[in-house]
Amino acid sequence: MSLIPIASLSQGTYIDENALQPAQVNTYWNWQDVHRADQYLYHLEGLRDRNSTSEERAQFIRNELANLGLRAATQNYTFTASSGLLSGVNAYAIMASPRTPSSEAMVISATWRSEVGKEPYNLRGISIVLALAAFLKNYSLWAKDIIFVIGDGYLDGMQAWLNAYHGTIPPNLETSLLEYTSGVIWTALNIDYSGHSFSHLGVFFEGLNGRLPNQDLINSVRLISHYTGGVPFIVYDHLEPNDFPDRWQTTSILANAPDFIRQSPQLQDFEYRAKNIVRHINYQARGKPSGAHGLYHKFRIDAITLFAVPATGPHGFLALGRIVESALRTTNNLLERLHASFFFYLFTSPGTFMKIGKFLPSAVLVSAAMMISGLGDWVNAGWLHEAVTENDREEAAAGGPSSKIQGKKMVRWRMRRRPLLRPIFTVLGTHVMGLLAFNLMRSPIFVENHLAASLLLFGALTILPFVFASLPDRTPEVAPFSLLLKSFNLCLASIVISTTSLLNFSLAAILAITLAVPLMYSSCSRSSPPRIVSLAKYVTYSFLAWGWLFLRDEVKQAIWNWEVLGIWFAPFICIVYGPLVTQAGVVSLQP
Amino acid sequence: MHWLQHLSRHCLLLLACLSALTLAIPQEERVSNFFGRHTGTSGHTNNWAVLVCASRYWFNYRHMANALGMYRTVKRLGIPDSNIILMLADDTACNARNQFPGSVYAKAGRHLDLYGDNIEVDYRGYEVTVENFIRLLTGRVDPSVPRSKRLLTDDRSNIFVYMTGHGGNEFLKFQDNEEISAFDIADAFEQMWQKKRYNEILFMIDTCQANTMYSQFYSPNILATGSSEIGENSYSHENDNDIGVSVIDSYTHFVLEFMEGINKTSQVSMQDLFSSYDPVKIRSHPGVRSDLFQRPLESALITDFFGGVSQAEIFPVIEDADTTTQHIIRVSSPDHVVPPDPVSPQAHNGQDFDKANATAVMPQKDAVALDVRWRDIRKWTSIVIVGFLVGWVSLVR
Amino acid sequence: MRWGTIFFALCLSASSESVTSYTNNVPPGESGERYDEDLFIRPLLDGRVATTFTFTTDLLGNVSRQSESSGQHYTLFPLTLGQILREYSIAELHLTLNSGKWNYDHWGYPDDPSVGTGAELWAWMADGPSSTIDERWTGLRNALAGLFCASLGSLDTRHTSSPSTVFPISFSSSIPHGLRYANLPSENVCTENLTPFVKLLPCKSRAGLATLLNPQRIFDADWHGLSIHLRSTEVGTELKLGVQAVFDPVRLSGGRRRDWSFRLLFDRIIHDSCLVATSSVVRVQIPDSGSHTLSPASVVDDNLTAMYNLMTQAPLDVSMSWPHEHTFQYPHVHESRLTPLSIQRTLHGSSQIHGHLFIALTNNGHHDIVVGYFENLPALVTLWMHTMEIKVDGTERNELISNVSYRPHQVLANGQKSPSTFQAILTVPASSTLHLSMEISRAFLKYTEHPPDAMRGWDLPPAILFPVCEPAMGICGMQNTSAGMRDRMYTPTLLIDLPTPDFSMPYNVIIFSCTLITLIFGSIFNLLTRTWVIVRVED
Amino acid sequence: MESPLFLPTLAACRLLLAWVQLPVLDGLQLDHQLTSPLTSYFRLKEGLWLYHHGVDPYLGGVLKHSPLFLSLFSTVSPGRVAWALSDIVGAWALVRIWHSRQQLGQSRRDGLVGAAYLLNPYILLPSLASSTSTFENAVVLLTLMFAAEGRPSPALLALALSIHLSLSTSLLLVPVLMLLVTSPTSRLASPRPFGGSYWMVFKYASEFVVYWSVLVCAASIMAGGVWNWMHESWGASLILPDLTPNPGLWWYFFTEMFDHFRPFFLMVFSTHLAIYIMPVCIKFQHDALYAAFLLLGILGTFKPYLTLADPGLFLSMFAVFPEIYPYLRHAVVTALLHAHASLLLPLFHALWVIEGRGNANFYYAASLVMGVAGGAGIVDACFAGMRIAIGNGSEAERGKWEVVQQ
């Protein structure tokens, strides 16, 4: 798994969809439009300085867009999450493209807040969107309507707008359907330009629950920013080692390493790629979108965020405007929904990526190993007593597919029923417990006094399985409950990992790391350890499983993500991860 | 010698318009018998052009431009629209992505609009399929297909077939999802020959590995040329940055360039055209296949295929003749082999349309009530029957 | 040809002129023909300009009945159409080719009601003994396809329905007539359609209003469409050829001004009039607000239209300008909705298999409006009628819908599926919005049935709102009052993408499935057939 | 679990579940794993709407259910209670089958047998998604129960009904007839030639035909015609007009099939189902119930418009044949395969049509896994059912000999 960043493993990107034809057009965005953008920026800064309400901001934007002759409107929304209400106002406008039935559309959006850079407000992003609206409407070559959306807040506004646009309004969102709508949206560009001016253009692409946009989109924007805008294109805001070495030194962890390490290009490159992948895994494993673009993915819209990496130059509105114009021409060329290129990939550097075939095995191998050892345990459980004694009834007791007795049917059933059913119910029990815990965590009580509640919950989650599972096997003859449980546990975990690995590789990788070791070594030795040791082991396991309850902000954030954005991370941890580790703990508890 | 040729051609013209006045086939036969086949010149009395742009999508603009360039040339050289079958798999001129609506340009400078304001596309969009193309050539079309979509040729017709699109070794892709193979075209031509549907054919194709497309021909009097050898791509010539796509393929570009110098009366021969090919400029090796062609290329004039024999002032008569005799011809079954009408079974469907309206459109109230009662009756009978069955079964022991 | 016809036209126009001069605008006697052309220009609120060309040819003495009447004697009436008329015994024929989306809110009612995107064809045909209506319909489709270079041939039974209440026949006759209606939203209109269209005019594009039909400009207009309306009246047959276009001078002038002129819009002016025309006028509607100058100046009649007669004012370039405004200020849309109804039709839901068809009708007036609603959906979409919901601001109002008639699609004898039609009468309460939503699911097609660009999806034809005035329906929409619906309205089209199979590897699928099946089959039969034996193993 | 109260409590819980309103359930109704066009309640409701509005419900290819469902649901409109009840009836029937196979009134294993049906997710989820396959399963189980208890007329009526509801159940005709004339007790260990009298078989067969034709008449009366409903409901499983995805093997095969081969392969697939009847019935003539069990397994794998309920029935019936457990070769592997399939199917389905980042092949692959799992189950059951006849010798000579097939 740690080999992934190695350069030779990844291959160069290329564009698969013929229709895109990136960077093949003249762009007409010029200083006049930049001036217009500056004017918008001036007004927006005014709004920011007299920290106006969302209502005022939205009204201002709506009016500006309406003055351009576009169909503009605002949208009020209110989310009710367990952590409280959250409301705001979006503004949007639809530019109906001439000569078309307007059954297709593309989106340029910017959100009021920005969370990547240091600047909290994405004023320049918004003003360039407005200026683009004024600029683009003078051209008749748009085959798709263009929708300009200014989302309030960071993610919530865009989420509300998208839900309203697609008419899928969840019960905890209070908003009205949009006044104006257009056709199907295939692609969207989200612009995050919070700094004063920028040196690089960074792309953010992770979406909800680890969904990635089609790679063609990223690649064509990369080409455009190279050839049309002349702006270096990077992944996230990670500068490449070779350009801007001075700033590289400050950010690198190799900075204070001995010279020969610091200078070696391979290591620098490795570190750079590793950084990208870690960042990627950090986003994807939590299923957390790395920007407002991520919310589009839920609606099968391929979207990315263009982040203007803050710097003291050289680029500004002019370059960004050109790039966006050209990018829109490219997406305008699309005749079909993006389907040709990859949806599963790892970006190791802007120019290179890894196919799924390359990185998937690393997770699948782990799960396969767990599956095998699980099956091994199953067989052991079956054959366990045979070596010890020749007594028939124990053979019978051994149960499993291998007991070799003809007569005494009734007896054998009774005895082989217990070892199978108890582990099954333990497994089910733990998962149900996780489900209950999750629902509990969403209750307002929990949110208010977090520490006490989480302590209680943790205690409960620790004690319950203990009480339930620590009662020893009645008859010494049956296959030990712990062994069966372990084999079930391992098989289950391996299934989970292998199925997750395709949907959300990062999550699978994390699981493979966190689950493999504890589950494999939950019951290591035949000789039963002293009680106290196993108890300690159990407690550590339950900490592994539920310890995160005490990270207040993390929990709160995760729950909010689930309730507002529908990110599966929190329920997954509660219902799948926690119980699995708890089962391992129960196993470790058994003599 | 030349004046003789002219003379002969002129009386041919005369006869052409005479015969065209009433499109009665036997007369045509008589005419052709009178002249006999293959004197030194191409003994043709009318010219036809089939121009196919097989590939769809906006980014294939250049293929549309190829076909349209040819269209403009043959039209300029005097083949009337009624004798040109133009197949365009997509509409670039009025595509919303086109910055210059209603126009298609073949040069980056955008000096010459190929679309103009007088154009007739006979097959467009999804109609451009392999089946339709083969049916067009062999004349096996549905009787209801209008004349403008038929290739009404005879054994006196010289046909210029031009195809362009994305292709490969011995195939050409239509609409990017179905292929026509070299064998299909070869067999179609053979059928045409047997059915006396052509006198001579000039087959020109611009696609990747184009020369493989005519490798399978075996019918006489076919002169074929293509843009590139096997294993060779045909490249686009240039790209217009306002249209945003490449506008023409280089082989066609140079052919058209050559054609610009031709006019209706010029005596330039096919040989001159072929010798004008320059693999360096075209960036692929164009090929010529003339073994089936029975005349020396030097004596085969460009205008034998590109130019119309009949001069401009005669077409109106022909057109009028066409239109006046149109329904007569419809009535008298033409010589085409006619497959059974695929949509004729609609006939009784028609009735149930109207029946449906009778019921669907706002039924009267009493009718509704009666209908409801009848439904209930049906329902209850079925239930009673089943209930009875169950009861009986549970009683019987 | 040209010289021929011109000469023809000349001598003929002389005669027709003499006729008209004697009996000025009294319809000439039997088997006479007259030709009028008219251009109506409406400056719109949002700076755009709506232009409507209408070329009317009246053929007096009814031809369309007896099949083999004097066909060749047409002088003005286009010959080809005449033949079609006779051959398929057409009583009424409407063909429109539009592109763009008509913005009712800003542009008001179009002068020609049929503005549905794409191709729309409907015809009333007499049900003759010689051939059934459907045979005639097929023939008609192909004939028109050949005539107008449009792929109308594909308007086959998958798109054809017969909604006689939406498109009522305009006259009553003894012979039973049948209606066929079909639309093809993905059809586009371009020069190859305009060329034959112009050729139907007596003066072609050399004289008269048709001079202005410059394809490069017409097809650059925000909305443009061609229409052919052919209907038999009591006195004879009336042919209306129409071209509608909505230009955007603001866009043409780079976002600055809304001044327009023939030169600007069409890049041409009218040099001479068409002599055979009985009347040839240009009418300009004068906006009631704003200080504008119109040149050449003209008398403005009471309903604010300036009239130019082309016969007298031959070289003509009308232009209108707003000298006092530096840049055009767009009016804010909320206060200006020109039609009593605003329509929104969208597909909700993000899944590829299931969704909601959602229609929002906003009544801008102060009276309830009663409208008919008509959907003609191809079989790729299944409407789930039992999920139909009618809501007015959030509350169920099922009493607002009546006379629901739904016909699911059915498999026809030729294997194709007829479209499903849904028709109902809706009552939209005054100044409120009515939401009609139905669940739909999308068909799973065989991979051969998908179009070349399968990933794009399919265009769903526009739905139609029509005024209800058939007394048969009991209720009658209030056309008489201003609040009522004046004419048919078309909703925008929708793009719906079906779930696609994989197109690259049918063979693999076939192979895999067969392998699995044979594997299981083989092992089972292997077990069943072979006998059991006990072999002793020596160790 | 041994307690006699276990089953009633379980049933009570199932009933309670019918009243609980979960937001998830609405989503389930349209799930392709749980409901097929032939069994989806959603389509049935649409059919009812059409029926009430005077349109022939079998016109649009929407309704593929039997007309009897129409008449039932248009008279009474049962909530989800009906599904709960039919589940309970099915469980009860399964327990009764178990009893009659053991020839005893009560056993401590009843609870397990009942739970195997009520708690089986493959059974539970479809009935929560209110798919009519729940009723079909219950009727099939009733058929077997009556047959096992030697009550011919009810058995034959139930059989007629189940065949009427879903045509492919007609595989069960032969084994049920055999079961009626033999005893249901387990003869697997001691095979013997078929003992029943053929005359009786013929008699029962003719009785069945009577019931079946009466049902058809009732249905035709309801539908106001014969052809349209037969074509829609029975024809659907023969000519596969609707290519909605399901866990089975048919839909994608015929999506990708070339048009001119389609009829041929339709014929092949249908006959392939029928091929199994005779061999299985001959091989297991001594234990007709087991033959029926195996055929249910075949159905649960190769049925057109498969839903999870079909393999679910097969898996639940394992509980009735405990004697074969020791002879199952790879029970765990089968279980794991099923676990994988049941996780992969919904995930890949979502990946394809909801998220749009995977294509149909993903889901097809998952359905292949499902097929493999089903096949493994059948093969294993088939093997064990015959292997048991030889049994294991005494302890002493373990390892001395092996049992093989030649």
Side-chain angles (χ1 to χ4, degrees), chain D residues 135-220:
Chain D
F135 301 115
E136 292 165 13
N137 282 352
V139 177
V140 168
L141 284 175
L142 282 176
T143 314
L144 293 178
M145 180 189 88
F146 286 129
E149 293 175 348
R151 298 169 54 190
S153 314
L156 292 171
L157 176 60
L159 181 63
L161 191 58
S162 62
I163 291 180
H164 174 81
L165 292 187
S166 81
L167 191 60
S168 39
T169 323
S170 46
L171 265 67
L172 290 185
L173 176 55
V174 182
V176 167
L177 288 178
M178 286 166 62
L179 185 55
L180 276 171
V181 295
T182 55
S183 89
T185 52
S186 170
R187 293 267 191 294
L188 287 173
S190 53
R192 66 175 64 162
F194 177 65
S197 78
Y198 290 95
W199 166 242
M200 292 297 287
V201 171
F202 174 74
K203 199 162 131 292
Y204 289 146
S206 43
E207 187 179 354
F208 161 80
V209 171
V210 173
Y211 292 145
W212 183 77
S213 42
V214 172
L215 284 179
V216 170
C217 291
S220 311

Side-chain angles (χ1 to χ4, degrees), chain C residues 75-150:
Chain C
T75 51
L76 300 173
F77 195 86
L79 203 52
T80 47
L81 276 179
Q83 283 149 5
I84 292 173
L85 211 61
R86 276 201 317 280
E87 186 168 352
Y88 306 109
S89 60
I90 308 290
E92 192 168 346
L93 164 71
H94 301 264
L95 167 67
T96 50
L97 290 167
N98 303 328
S99 101
K101 171 184 163 192
W102 187 272
N103 183 344
Y104 284 96
D105 289 346
H106 296 177
W107 304 346
Y109 281 113
D111 302 311
D112 174 357
S114 42
V115 292
T117 307
E120 182 186 53
L121 173 65
W122 55 283
W124 282 94
M125 292 160 290
D127 198 351
S130 57
S131 57
T132 68
I133 287 187
D134 286 286
E135 289 159 13
R136 286 182 169 162
W137 171 245
T138 316
L140 174 67
R141 261 164 30 210
N142 289 317
L144 289 175
L147 185 57
F148 292 108
C149 295

Side-chain angles (χ1 to χ4, degrees), chain B residues 75-92:
Chain B
K75 213 168 159 184
R76 179 175 60 83
L77 292 178
I79 303 186
D81 259 329
S82 56
N83 286 21
I84 303 177
I85 308 289
L86 179 57
M87 294 180 137
L88 288 184
D90 203 348
D91 171 36
T92 46

